[in-house]
Amino acid sequence: MWALSGIPEVQQGDDLAKLIAAAEPALADGDVLLVTSKIVSKAEGRIVEAADREAAIDAEAVRVVARRGTLRIVENRQGLVMAAAGVDASNTPAGTVLLLPEDPDASARAIREGLRDTLGVNVGVVVTDTFGRPWRAGLTDVAIGAAGVRVLDDLRGGTDAYGNPLVATVVATADELAAAGDLVKGKAAGRPVAVVRGLPQVVTPVEDQGEGARALVRNAQDDMFRLGTSEAVREAVTQRRTVRAFTDDPVDPGAVRRAVAAALTAPAPHHTTPWRFVLLESAESRVRLLDAMRDAWIADLRRDGKSEESITKRVRRGDVLRNAPYLVVPCLVMDGSHTYGDARRDGAEREMFVVATGAGVQNFLVALAGERLGSAWVSSTMFCRDVVREVLGLPADWDPMGAVAIGRPAEEPRARAERDAEAFIEVR
């Protein structure tokens, strides 16, 4: 592995393949070229006037992943998650910034084809850029574009030296090549291209351009660390929906318990813990409770003089609870509350505990959304608390504050109506 000397300052319109061929005319079949993205961007005219670098980042970003002060980790238009969308204000004239190549895989293909035309060789090309990484200090180069290179080496289905099956091992070959090339190129040595020789097995046949580096970008569904902390919280809050149709898939009890743990972080008066969560994990317990609640509702509605047709329609609204594979009954307890002997203050004291319970339930619902579970908070248990306490064997001072239906959503929730936050704000 070695870096090429003699590549001049690259200008817009330069033919990189010809510049590389002139610097290293002895390239051979099976070599891999590691090309710094900056010279690709310069050759493609990706230098833009930008007195405000932040505005350039805004233009290149499609999603903010995390933010701390002025530092932003974003997803850019190429699908790469990186600091500042790859917008670089170094190695470019004052008052300008350098953007990443528009299509790094296409850039790599153009260099590969140009070298085949110029030197008659079949090489692989990797376009590299510098990345930081979660949980690891320091920077390294990774592949953002590739052509003629097997970017991933899928070892699943094989065995290790002890005969154990490999079930999860997929090696990011192109990233390993990029990082290795950075060792010989150097960050400030003015040598933007490196050559790796001796790994012909990673180079594809002439007619095969390979998957490209886009294959290295983990898709959203498989990415467990897609968001930064504050963004993850915001995403869970905004993605929470009331789900009324569930699949038959079982609910992981561990996920529900993790959501309960999140609920317990809600604020409460007097350092109290006014929440209790009754988990109905068996079908028998759910049916027994819902049948008793249904009978209580019907009796109430008949006393109100409702018609049988009206009663049937109203009772049907409880189907969301009956069709869910898991139910939770949040309860309010007044342990630690103060008694003032004054109806106004005693009423306010209870209201504080009710608000705290609502905050706990909101935390619970948001945490469920973070577990990719749908939920519906139905307040019907409040209308028959004595029945709920009797069926579930709860203490007399536990007040059921509704029931939460939980499960995997059977369909995509409808889009939430847009609400202008300013319409709900008064400033004094």
Side-chain angles (χ1 to χ4, degrees):
M1 183 168 59
W2 67 96
L4 303 187
S5 300
I7 294 180
E9 179 68 23
V10 173
Q11 306 294 328
Q12 182 174 349
D14 282 349
D15 186 326
L16 290 180
K18 289 183 177 178
L19 293 179
I20 292 169
E24 184 53 272
L27 287 174
D29 287 344
D31 287 347
V32 179
L33 277 295
L34 309 168
V35 183
T36 302
S37 64
K38 285 184 175 60
I39 65 169
V40 178
S41 295
K42 289 179 179 180
E44 295 179 356
R46 296 282 285 163
I47 299 176
V48 297
E49 299 287 339
D52 183 358
R53 180 170 178 254
E54 295 303 309
I57 296 171
D58 289 340
E60 290 295 296
V62 298
R63 180 174 66 91
V64 175
V65 175
R67 183 193 303 267
R68 180 172 296 168
T70 59
L71 175 63
R72 279 186 288 171
I73 308 297
V74 305
E75 179 184 344
N76 67 12
R77 289 186 288 112
Q78 293 90 349
L80 302 169
V81 175
M82 59 195 308
V87 175
D88 195 347
S90 62
N91 298 304
T92 185
T96 66
V97 294
L98 197 60
L99 310 180
L100 290 178
E102 188 76 35
D103 183 345
D105 284 335
S107 303
R109 289 194 296 271
I111 296 171
R112 185 192 191 207
E113 291 166 359
L115 287 168
R116 187 168 66 246
D117 293 342
T118 303
L119 298 177
V121 293
N122 177 37
V123 298
V125 175
V126 176
V127 177
T128 71
D129 197 61
T130 302
F131 266 51
R133 300 152 299 153
W135 311 301
R136 305 289 289 177
L139 304 171
T140 186
D141 270 20
V142 302
I144 66 168
V149 173
R150 304 184 197 282
V151 297
L152 292 166
D153 187 8
D154 191 346
L155 302 179
R156 292 173 297 183
T159 56
D160 64 17
Y162 294 93
N164 300 310
L166 299 173
V167 296
T169 305
V170 181
V171 177
T173 303
D175 281 347
E176 293 186 329
L177 288 167
D182 192 43
L183 293 174
V184 294
K185 286 188 294 183
K187 292 296 183 191
R191 298 186 297 177
V193 179
V195 181
V196 175
R197 179 167 290 168
L199 295 174
Q201 70 272 18
V202 307
V203 178
T204 62
V206 171
E207 66 280 2
D208 182 3
Q209 295 286 12
E211 297 178 280
R214 186 74 190 208
L216 292 161
V217 177
R218 196 185 301 276
N219 64 51
Q221 292 76 17
D222 295 335
D223 191 350
M224 295 175 65
F225 307 100
R226 183 168 169 78
L227 300 169
T229 304
S230 60
E231 288 71 25
V233 172
R234 192 177 304 115
E235 176 86 354
V237 170
T238 57
Q239 292 303 310
R240 189 209 63 77
R241 296 284 196 282
T242 295
V243 174
R244 300 193 179 279
F246 301 95
T247 69
D248 294 331
D249 295 339
V251 172
D252 174 15
V256 177
R257 285 164 171 76
R258 290 191 292 273
V260 170
L264 304 185
T265 66
H270 316 314
H271 305 288
T272 58
T273 55
W275 323 276
R276 302 292 185 271
F277 292 85
V278 184
L279 312 185
L280 279 64
E281 296 186 338
S282 72
E284 186 275 334
S285 66
R286 295 192 295 273
V287 170
R288 189 158 47 88
L289 173 66
L290 295 175
D291 284 351
M293 288 172 57
R294 179 198 57 205
D295 293 344
W297 298 337
I298 290 173
D300 282 346
L301 292 168
R302 284 175 176 162
R303 279 194 296 271
D304 293 341
K306 302 296 183 184
S307 69
E308 292 302 312
E309 180 182 2
S310 173
I311 290 172
T312 298
K313 288 181 179 179
R314 290 168 183 264
V315 170
R316 193 176 296 134
R317 294 172 187 168
D319 285 351
V320 63
L321 298 177
R322 196 170 290 275
N323 296 334
Y326 200 110
L327 289 183
V328 173
V329 178
C331 295
L332 161 68
V333 297
M334 295 291 290
D335 291 352
S337 63
H338 296 172
T339 300
Y340 300 96
D342 176 305
R344 176 181 58 83
R345 288 191 290 169
D346 287 342
E349 181 79 1
R350 177 172 174 79
E351 285 179 357
M352 289 196 303
F353 277 71
V354 170
V355 169
T357 302
V361 173
Q362 170 71 355
N363 277 13
F364 181 66
L365 299 176
V366 169
L368 290 173
E371 297 278 356
R372 297 297 186 262
L373 289 170
S375 63
W377 184 15
V378 181
S379 57
S380 49
T381 64
M382 298 184 198
F383 294 90
C384 52
R385 283 176 170 148
D386 288 343
V387 170
V388 175
R389 280 191 285 259
E390 180 181 353
V391 171
L392 298 181
L394 304 181
D397 60 349
W398 285 30
D399 279 346
M401 303 297 283
V404 179
I406 302 171
R408 298 287 175 191
E411 56 191 25
E412 285 294 319
R414 288 178 293 180
R416 181 182 280 119
E418 290 291 330
R419 291 171 180 165
D420 179 10
E422 291 298 323
F424 299 84
I425 296 172
E426 292 289 337
V427 178
R428 296 291 186 266

